[in-house]
Amino acid sequence: MSTSTFKDFRNGVKPNWCPGCGDFSVQAAMQRAAANIGLTAEELVLVSGIGCSGRISGYIRSYGFHGVHGRALPVAQGIKMANRDLTVVAAGGDGDGFAIGIGHTIHAMRRNMDLTYIVMDNQVYGLTKGQTSPRSDDGFITSSTPDGSIEKALSPMETALISGATFIAQSFSSDIKDLTATIEAAIQHKGFSIVNVFSPCVTYNKLNTYDWFKQNLIKLSDIDGYDPTDRTMAMNTLMENNSLVTGIIYQEERPSYQDMVKGYNEKPLAHTKLNLETEFFQELVNEFM
């Protein structure tokens, strides 16, 4: 096992998030989790989309890919299929993953690809100056909803549960110890893991603040008899608490996508000889003649 420390995942690039942004803690938790698991920078790939949170792929020392809006998961899945030896983590915000990218998110969940998706949920569009996101509360006043939002906020954890994700968790950026442990568990899970992180936007969201979350969040570890392997209990708990819970909400063991693909070579495509012999190439062509 590697003897990496979180410092090995620093690249010297200073984040330009607003002071107090929850994303700083998410970055630190990801670096600590990777080191605690024993990964090296060369074994980790971080794929991100667009938004304040999308910048994170440039702030961590590892392989990184900064994709386009809502498309982090297709890229992450392609990387994992090409090189199953890599630990692949996708990251983005609630606008990236639950608005333009919601279709990719749902299908990645049901597909159960072996990767981790970390969502920095600030319930607002921060990068574009504070419009409502799919996670904004009813009545939320922003530049795009001056009279208050009339749409109901999406529940990503309920969506994940009905879409077939095999590891579903939620955490709070202010609780770095719990967040680090949750990310560790997500990465080590075999299958699709989603970790939704309440990551307050201190500039544009004056409703869902650090104090607000501290007053309203409930730790699943404080609920007597809670069983994260019980899907029905998980759904009922989310509905009863308006999804304002932290911890591992649900986890099940199920073959990952790669394990179910017939003929999927154990040797990563990245390490496979791609040159085709002339005779074999001609055999392939003959199949279409």
Side-chain angles (χ1 to χ4, degrees):
M1 177 178 287
S2 166
T3 56
S4 298
T5 70
F6 74 95
K7 293 182 180 180
D8 293 314
F9 294 91
R10 290 179 175 175
N11 62 5
V13 179
K14 185 178 180 180
N16 63 349
W17 293 313
C18 299
C21 175
D23 293 357
F24 284 102
S25 295
V26 178
Q27 176 190 343
M30 291 174 65
Q31 291 167 315
R32 293 182 183 187
N36 291 346
I37 291 171
L39 294 174
T40 64
E42 293 76 19
E43 295 170 327
L44 175 65
V45 182
L46 180 57
V47 183
S48 65
I50 299 298
C52 296
S53 56
R55 297 168 174 166
I56 199 167
S57 61
Y59 300 152
I60 294 178
R61 182 173 175 266
S62 69
Y63 289 113
F65 188 97
H66 192 172
V68 295
H69 203 190
R71 306 297 187 260
L73 284 172
V75 174
Q77 291 173 86
I79 292 171
K80 187 64 179 183
M81 288 299 293
N83 191 344
R84 64 196 303 166
D85 290 344
L86 291 172
T87 294
V88 180
V89 176
D94 47 302
D96 192 67
F98 304 141
I100 189 172
I102 187 65
H104 293 302
T105 300
I106 288 175
H107 291 297
M109 289 172 179
R110 73 177 185 86
R111 191 171 289 128
N112 199 32
M113 186 75 71
D114 185 20
L115 57 84
T116 300
Y117 187 32
I118 298 174
V119 182
M120 284 152 272
D121 183 359
N122 59 15
Q123 295 157 289
V124 72
Y125 278 103
L127 187 67
T128 52
K129 304 299 184 284
Q131 298 85 2
T132 53
S133 88
R135 291 282 296 126
S136 299
D137 291 332
D138 299 2
F140 192 57
I141 296 175
T142 70
S143 58
S144 62
T145 54
D147 296 322
S149 175
I150 60 174
E151 298 178 337
K152 182 175 176 58
L154 177 75
S155 175
M157 299 293 90
E158 291 179 31
T159 302
L161 199 56
I162 64 174
S163 299
T166 53
F167 183 100
I168 303 168
Q170 205 156 235
S171 192
F172 179 32
S173 63
S174 185
D175 190 348
I176 190 72
K177 182 178 179 181
D178 175 80
L179 178 55
T180 301
T182 300
I183 293 175
E184 285 181 42
I187 292 175
Q188 292 174 313
H189 174 76
K190 293 292 292 183
F192 187 88
S193 304
I194 180 169
V195 180
N196 192 63
V197 185
F198 294 115
S199 181
C201 175
V202 295
T203 301
Y204 295 109
N205 189 339
K206 304 302 184 181
L207 174 64
N208 308 112
T209 62
Y210 286 99
D211 287 339
W212 186 90
F213 281 116
K214 289 176 182 177
Q215 293 171 8
N216 289 278
L217 289 177
I218 298 170
K219 291 186 176 183
L220 291 173
S221 58
D222 292 337
I223 299 178
D224 290 338
Y226 186 78
D227 180 3
T229 66
D230 188 329
R231 195 163 181 261
T232 301
M233 181 182 290
M235 181 61 81
N236 288 338
T237 301
L238 289 170
M239 295 175 69
E240 290 166 3
N241 296 283
N242 197 29
S243 293
L244 291 171
V245 298
T246 59
I248 298 176
I249 297 166
Y250 181 70
Q251 184 172 14
E252 70 168 285
E253 299 300 325
R254 197 173 80 223
S256 67
Y257 184 85
Q258 295 97 313
D259 293 335
M260 298 181 67
V261 174
K262 293 183 177 179
Y264 183 48
N265 199 328
E266 288 289 334
K267 186 177 182 180
L269 180 62
H271 300 155
T272 301
K273 182 180 178 182
L274 299 180
N275 296 329
L276 297 179
E277 300 295 337
T278 303
E279 183 177 345
F280 179 61
F281 176 75
Q282 191 59 51
E283 290 179 8
L284 293 176
V285 172
N286 290 341
E287 292 182 12
F288 300 93
M289 298 296 286

